[in-house]
Amino acid sequence: MTTIELHKTVIEAASWKLASLLTRRHPELLIRREHPGGGQYDVLAVRSDRGCNIQMNRAGRIHVHGRHDGRDPVWEPTEWQDVIGPDYRLLVERLEAAAGLEPVTRAPRSTRRVLVYRTLSALANIQILSDPVDISMGFLDTSGYGAGPADWVDEFPDLAEAARGRTSTEGPEPRFNYWQAKTAGLNVAFDVVSGQTWSTGGDRLDLEMTYQLADRSMPSLLASVLEFGSAS
């Protein structure tokens, strides 16, 4: 089989599309950006607290390492060139089956967290074959040197203060809840717990309220985020 080298913005958008579709259909799922192997890999992971572990290595292949029902997954590592296309529905259904997730006939109403994920996916999508969007988690998750709080959090003083207030020795790292999306003309941060978007100047945009006022239109919500982020 001929290997096609895909532009990194295409893989970025595809990984976020798959991850956001999975979390929209299964709101209990979480998205993490991980760098296993001492930082050798760049993985967008979709996980549940019951064992679902879907790993989308942007520099490699798509893997299913764990199932939501605790059984052993049956999944052949899949190349990105084999999944890029206009309709991700069939692949999402295959991933659900491999990861032990229940089939979904209709996606439930998006939670605040899912709205953040959908917005990040939309931001990645509009940057295809353009300046890459850097979508980073608030904590550098790697087993190698450099693991810890991400430097970008300090660009948002109010968010950094909120993150320090949530820090605890119990449970998941609180900074997993924060994401940044940055391009040449945009720099915004997101909190998946509150659904707030933050500017570096301390302004906030409530995603859920904005989404409702836009008649639940994702293009309108994306336009509001872009206007908010570029004006900050």
Side-chain angles (χ1 to χ4, degrees), residues 12 36 109 137 223:
E12 178 81 17
R109 186 168 181 157
M137 200 166 63

Side-chain angles (χ1 to χ4, degrees), residues 20-224:
S20 64
L21 283 173
L22 284 163
T23 57
R24 186 181 182 189
R25 292 160 65 88
H26 304 275
E28 73 276 14
L29 298 178
L30 302 172
I31 298 177
R32 302 278 188 255
R33 186 177 179 186
E34 302 171 357
H35 299 81
Q40 297 181 65
Y41 307 106
D42 181 9
V43 172
L44 201 64
V46 179
R47 295 178 175 273
S48 76
D49 59 5
R50 290 176 51 189
C52 172
N53 183 5
I54 300 169
Q55 300 265 318
M56 291 178 277
N57 182 10
R58 274 83 74 86
R61 297 182 291 181
I62 300 172
H63 303 261
V64 178
H65 290 310
R67 287 176 59 96
H68 192 65
D69 56 14
R71 296 164 54 196
D72 292 332
V74 179
W75 175 268
E76 288 295 323
T78 303
E79 303 285 349
W80 284 106
Q81 69 185 49
D82 297 329
V83 305
I84 302 297
D87 187 359
Y88 290 86
R89 181 170 53 93
L90 292 179
L91 177 59
V92 167
E93 290 174 354
R94 286 178 53 217
L95 285 168
E96 285 175 337
L101 298 166
E102 292 292 328
V104 176
T105 56
R106 184 177 180 181
R109 186 168 181 157
S110 293
T111 63
R112 292 185 178 92
R113 181 170 64 206
V114 170
L115 269 181
V116 171
Y117 294 157
R118 293 176 67 189
T119 302
L120 290 172
S121 175
L123 288 170
N125 189 65
I126 63 172
Q127 295 303 120
I128 289 177
L129 301 182
S130 184
D131 293 331
V133 58
D134 184 14
I135 301 176
S136 302
M137 200 166 63
F139 190 89
L140 184 58
D141 190 0
T142 174
S143 58
Y145 176 77
D151 292 339
W152 68 259
V153 174
D154 291 329
E155 298 177 31
F156 301 84
D158 292 343
L159 185 149
E161 182 64 28
R164 282 191 290 270
R166 284 185 185 169
T167 298
S168 171
T169 57
E170 300 178 1
E173 164 57 52
R175 291 178 184 84
F176 285 172
N177 293 317
Y178 301 111
W179 292 86
Q180 180 197 38
K182 186 173 185 179
T183 66
L186 181 78
N187 188 10
V188 287
F190 299 87
D191 177 354
V192 302
V193 175
S194 67
Q196 298 286 321
T197 305
W198 304 63
S199 73
T200 54
D203 295 326
R204 301 188 200 182
L205 178 73
D206 188 298
L207 284 185
E208 185 175 41
M209 183 181 298
T210 305
Y211 185 55
Q212 297 299 334
L213 291 173
D215 294 325
R216 302 174 63 82
S217 165
M218 277 306 299
S220 296
L221 176 61
L222 176 61
S224 296

